[in-house]
Amino acid sequence: MNLQTILIQQLVSALVVMMSPEILKKGLDGLLDTIEEAVGKTENTVDDIVVLGICQQIRRAFDVPDND
């Protein structure tokens, strides 16, 4: 691992620690929304089942509703 990678990892870790649970939930919701939209645009039904199922589990585990 190079120095730049280590510094970026430390910066991201510090930012995550400083964020409130509400901000983290909003960020996770946005990330999951982006993934769900990208998967929904594909014609492959297997990724719909697998990836969307994983997204639902993450939403349940971290109590991040899909209110969009």
Side-chain angles (χ1 to χ4, degrees):
M1 225 181 300
N2 64 30
L3 182 59
Q4 183 180 15
T5 302
I6 293 169
L7 290 173
I8 291 171
Q9 288 176 339
Q10 290 178 348
L11 176 62
V12 169
S13 295
L15 289 172
V16 169
V17 168
M18 294 172 47
M19 290 182 193
S20 70
E22 294 81 23
I23 292 174
L24 287 172
K25 278 187 177 185
K26 286 181 183 179
L28 182 56
D29 181 40
L31 176 63
L32 291 170
D33 285 343
T34 301
I35 293 169
E36 292 162 350
E37 288 173 19
V39 169
K41 292 178 182 177
T42 66
E43 295 180 19
N44 183 350
T45 58
V46 174
D47 67 355
D48 291 356
I49 294 167
V50 175
V51 176
L52 293 179
I54 291 170
C55 288
Q56 288 177 339
Q57 285 296 95
I58 292 170
R59 286 187 182 283
R60 274 191 233 122
F62 294 98
D63 190 28
V64 179
D66 190 10
N67 296 330
D68 304 333

